[in-house]
Amino acid sequence: MYNDAAMPAEPSPESAPLDARSTALAAGASDAARPAVPRTEQELNSPNPLTLRLLGVIFLGTFLPWVAAKVACNVREAPVREPPELPVAVLSRQPKDAAIELQQLVAGGQYREASELAKGDLKAELRAQDERFQKEPQPCAALRARASHVATRAVLVGRGPLQAEARAESEVDGKTERYVLRLETDGTRWYVTSRTPYPGDLLTPVPVISLTPSPPASIAAPPGSAGTAAK
């Protein structure tokens, strides 16, 4: 006959309690083998010198190329870009732009070009001045030689649907020239019709200027005024 009862297994040496093993190891280990817990910054020594050296290398590898690129970009001479040449139709779409362009051209002695922005008596005056300079080219050449040094600005004093008024100022050889320009619209363009010297400051406030044609007297008169006048 066979005995079917389970036989107790012998305990394996690996299945020994962990607490007993750790207690034995702790008892056998010496206190000198344990790592010392740092108590001061000097003992902690963090970050260590190797970390600081690596951070320095990263900084130099980033900073030095940036400095080189910055210096190379600033030292390089950028090409001089001339302002784009726009047609007269574009320059005369707004009254202020037309006033600035005409004043700039006249201050630089370019009377024929300025006449394309003028109308009426002013246009004829500019054409006559251009013909006079063609007969005497020496003063005209001196005037056009300083055209690149002329600085012009303008303010729009008033504007209506058909008329406008602007003040323009040009600085030529340290001298300031100011003018009042009257403009009229013709289609999509504005033309300067008169240009007279202006002794005041360019930004002096002015009263409101009415540039809208006034209505007829019969429309402007209030109702009942005609009957009162008849009485």
Side-chain angles (χ1 to χ4, degrees):
M1 297 181 66
Y2 294 95
N3 188 4
D4 296 334
M7 299 296 294
E10 295 182 359
S12 169
E14 296 180 357
S15 63
L18 296 177
D19 293 339
R21 295 177 60 188
S22 59
T23 304
L25 292 175
S30 61
D31 296 338
R34 296 179 181 178
V37 178
R39 299 178 179 274
T40 62
E41 293 289 339
Q42 288 77 9
E43 294 178 359
L44 183 62
N45 192 21
S46 179
N48 55 33
L50 179 60
T51 302
L52 296 178
R53 294 190 187 97
L54 293 177
L55 290 176
V57 171
I58 295 174
F59 170 76
L60 294 177
T62 306
F63 180 73
L64 293 180
W66 177 83
V67 172
K70 188 73 173 177
V71 172
C73 185
N74 292 338
V75 170
R76 184 189 62 181
E77 296 184 359
V80 179
R81 296 188 299 176
E82 297 293 335
E85 295 184 2
L86 300 177
V88 179
V90 176
L91 296 173
S92 58
R93 289 179 180 176
Q94 298 296 330
K96 182 178 178 180
D97 297 340
I100 291 177
E101 188 66 18
L102 183 136
Q103 177 63 26
Q104 178 75 14
L105 293 173
V106 172
Q110 302 177 4
Y111 294 101
R112 179 168 292 276
E113 292 81 356
S115 65
E116 298 180 6
L117 296 163
K119 197 175 183 181
D121 296 339
L122 181 60
K123 184 180 183 69
E125 180 182 345
L126 294 175
R127 288 293 180 90
Q129 185 70 15
D130 180 70
E131 293 176 0
R132 185 163 50 251
F133 271 15
Q134 288 182 1
K135 297 178 182 178
E136 300 176 2
Q138 185 173 0
C140 180
L143 187 61
R144 292 182 177 180
R146 63 183 186 183
S148 59
H149 302 284
V150 177
T152 303
R153 62 174 182 166
V155 293
L156 192 64
V157 179
R159 174 177 177 174
L162 301 176
Q163 297 178 347
E165 182 174 323
R167 297 174 185 168
E169 176 184 86
S170 297
E171 293 184 5
V172 185
D173 295 338
K175 299 179 181 179
T176 303
E177 302 176 354
R178 298 188 183 94
Y179 293 88
V180 175
L181 297 89
R182 300 279 298 185
L183 300 99
E184 292 182 359
T185 182
D186 186 0
T188 59
R189 292 183 54 182
W190 286 85
Y191 294 89
V192 182
T193 57
S194 66
R195 176 175 172 269
T196 56
Y198 177 68
D201 186 77
L202 188 70
L203 303 178
T204 301
V206 295
V208 178
I209 299 176
S210 178
L211 296 175
T212 303
S214 58
S218 59
I219 300 177
S225 59
T228 304
K231 293 179 179 179

